[in-house]
Amino acid sequence: MSNQAVLEWMERVVKPEQIEKYLEQGKDFVDEELIRQSLNTAINPEKSLLRDIMSKSLDLQRLDPDETAALLNCTDEEIWEEMYQTGYQIKEKVYGRRIVTFAPLYVSNHCVNSCVYCGFRKDNTETMRKQLSLEELGKEVESLVQKGHKRLIMVYGEHPDSDVHYIADTLTKAYQTKVGHGEIRRVNVNAAPMSIEDLEILRDIGIGTFQVFQETYHHDTYRRLHPRGIKANYLWRLYALHRAMDAGVDDVGIGALFGLYDWKFEVMGLLLHTIDLEKRFNGVGPHTISFPRIEPALNTPFTRHSPYLVDDATFKKLVTVIRLSVPYTGMILTARERPEVRNEVIKTGCTQIDAGSNIGVGSYQEETMNYDRQQFILGDNRSLDEAIRDMAKMGFITSFCTADYRCGRTGECFMGIAKSGKIHNLCMPNAILTFKEYLLDYASEATKDAASYLINQELAALPNPAIQDKVKGMLVRIEAGERDLFL
């Protein structure tokens, strides 16, 4: 595609009227003065106040900005330990002892943007540009299915070659690809902001969760780090998920890239984003919140020299505060982090991880790490099987369940069940069933030895005897060869 054609496409993407409809008196919801005032007021919070706030979180009530600011400003390590424990209690109360697992599939790294921290930025001449054909995509999906994956998040650069029609075609191809007993049952998408009309196309194809990360909520920092391209438009990105909800894509995922600006400010930005979505969409906020940290990327010196890089101890704290601030929302801990960090931080209340990840475009089939096709460098290179084994040793059962989405338990329905703390009553039986499939079809002997105990443990823990009996019958059917059974 010629440069002129690309420029003409870029001029058509942003629709100002689909920004203005969400503004209040011409302003967006990221009130920087409110954030600063909240953080500056909640200095040296009393232990009693912090414990009261934790109690509110345990009651599965979203926190207000001043309450989150108080948690962020805690300097008492004893209270931090209590917060870590409370985060895990909340996670178990809402989601049970299950960890949902998925794989990222990078489909294209063509991009018109110039984000200074990104290996895919347009002016990075050391990145090898590649976009998968439908045939190549099918082979990538086959490779993931053969390892046991049932969920994907497909990732696309912002470019006319990977517009909504290409995304729709690749989603369809992923759903159509089957290998033996295996197939992909849920495809989430991480892509550039789109118009309501384009998002309706993806809704009709069967998109799962639509992710758009604001990267940084700080206006001036955002402008400085996104100097050119469509992504330079802060407001077009900020309201991407509002448009998705209006288009009927009712599961959306927000996130911030920690290390671009002050970590406390970004946590507050995520909270304000949640509050605005809930206000506008009948109490339905983000289905998931992500909190990646900057990682090194090829020919991208900013990733090593940002003044706001977050260390491991601070990372654990910010994840914990997010868990307490929005207690009913899923939280994604990615393979950017090293295994030892993930194994520690997951205990503060995370609900989803990726595993067996390879983020080089076209690299799953090749089984190589192609760093010149990657957006950044991963910290966790464990296989899916190894990660499942480690989770089992920690007492977590890995879930491949996608029943909620196929049964229509999304958006308002899902959020209502999650806020009542009852989602695990539906999801744990399905986790047991999908875990049984994995053990039978894909697990190594070492993982079977380490993880099989979880089936009986979680089956015995189901509170309803009738559901126990039903799941036992379904397990027998799975052993006899049936697949994809769910409640």
Side-chain angles (χ1 to χ4, degrees), residues 186 250-251 284 287 404-415:
R186 166 84 166 180
D250 55 7
D251 280 352
V284 180
H287 187 73
D404 280 344
Y405 316 109
R406 291 183 290 168
C407 292
R409 297 190 289 261
T410 61
E412 188 173 349
C413 177
F414 175 88
M415 199 61 67

Side-chain angles (χ1 to χ4, degrees), residues 151-439:
R151 289 170 171 249
L152 301 180
I153 182 150
M154 291 169 55
V155 185
Y156 307 79
E158 186 162 21
H159 192 275
D161 288 345
S162 50
D163 65 5
V164 67
H165 302 291
Y166 174 76
I167 294 173
D169 289 344
T170 53
L171 285 174
T172 300
K173 180 66 174 179
Y175 281 127
Q176 291 173 342
T177 302
K178 301 183 184 299
V179 183
H181 284 308
E183 71 284 308
I184 298 301
R185 300 171 184 166
R186 166 84 166 180
V187 183
N188 302 328
V189 169
N190 183 306
M194 301 181 202
S195 68
I196 292 172
E197 294 80 8
D198 283 354
L199 287 158
E200 288 171 344
I201 294 172
L202 299 185
R203 175 202 64 199
D204 293 343
I205 290 293
I207 184 178
T209 301
F210 182 54
Q211 279 187 350
V212 175
F213 300 164
Q214 188 63 19
E215 318 295 16
T216 175
Y217 287 92
H218 188 253
H219 295 79
D220 287 345
T221 300
Y222 186 97
R223 281 189 284 271
R224 187 172 68 255
L225 301 185
H226 307 93
R228 294 176 297 281
I230 298 171
K231 199 168 175 177
N233 190 318
Y234 178 97
L235 294 178
W236 181 244
R237 192 166 190 88
L238 187 66
Y239 289 104
L241 300 176
H242 289 63
R243 295 193 297 276
M245 297 283 277
D246 271 334
V249 180
D250 55 7
D251 280 352
V252 299
I254 66 174
L257 181 57
F258 284 87
L260 300 183
Y261 189 62
D262 177 70
W263 65 277
K264 293 182 180 181
F265 184 97
E266 305 295 12
V267 171
M268 296 290 284
L270 289 168
L271 177 63
L272 294 183
H273 202 159
T274 298
I275 290 171
D276 202 70
L277 286 168
E278 291 185 344
K279 180 178 71 173
R280 294 177 184 274
F281 297 102
N282 199 28
V284 180
H287 187 73
T288 56
I289 298 177
S290 298
F291 31 85
R293 283 191 289 182
I294 286 180
E295 296 297 335
L298 181 68
N299 189 31
T300 309
F302 179 89
T303 60
R304 300 180 186 275
H305 302 301
S306 169
Y308 297 106
L309 296 179
V310 173
D311 62 31
D312 292 346
T314 303
F315 182 63
K316 183 178 179 181
K317 291 178 178 179
L318 74 85
V319 174
T320 301
V321 175
I322 294 170
R323 172 75 291 158
L324 271 59
S325 296
V326 194
Y328 39 77
T329 293
M331 292 180 57
I332 300 176
L333 177 62
T334 74
R336 286 174 179 258
E337 306 299 335
R338 304 185 312 280
E340 59 271 25
V341 173
R342 291 226 281 178
N343 289 349
E344 177 66 21
V345 171
I346 200 169
K347 293 181 289 189
T348 66
C350 301
T351 62
Q352 295 189 29
I353 62 169
D354 59 323
S357 302
N358 188 333
I359 60 172
V361 180
S363 295
Y364 282 114
Q365 184 194 6
E366 298 172 7
E367 296 187 341
T368 57
M369 291 288 179
N370 294 299
Y371 294 115
D372 59 355
R373 300 183 207 164
Q374 294 186 188
Q375 189 177 25
F376 53 88
I377 297 172
L378 292 175
D380 187 349
N381 293 310
R382 287 177 294 178
S383 68
L384 174 62
D385 195 69
E386 290 169 330
I388 288 173
R389 193 184 316 148
D390 284 351
M391 291 299 102
K393 291 175 181 177
M394 296 168 63
F396 294 120
I397 185 169
T398 300
S399 175
F400 298 88
C401 174
T402 59
D404 280 344
Y405 316 109
R406 291 183 290 168
C407 292
R409 297 190 289 261
T410 61
E412 188 173 349
C413 177
F414 175 88
M415 199 61 67
I417 302 171
K419 287 181 178 181
S420 69
K422 296 179 180 178
I423 196 66
H424 65 275
N425 293 335
L426 290 166
C427 293
M428 186 56 81
N430 293 324
I432 294 169
L433 297 172
T434 60
F435 194 56
K436 182 69 170 181
E437 285 188 22
Y438 179 82
L439 293 178

Side-chain angles (χ1 to χ4, degrees), residues 1 6 9 108 110-112 131 157-163 192 230:
M1 183 175 286
V6 171
W9 173 83
S108 172
H110 295 182
C111 198
V112 300
Q131 178 166 307
E158 186 162 21
H159 192 275
D161 288 345
S162 50
D163 65 5
I230 298 171

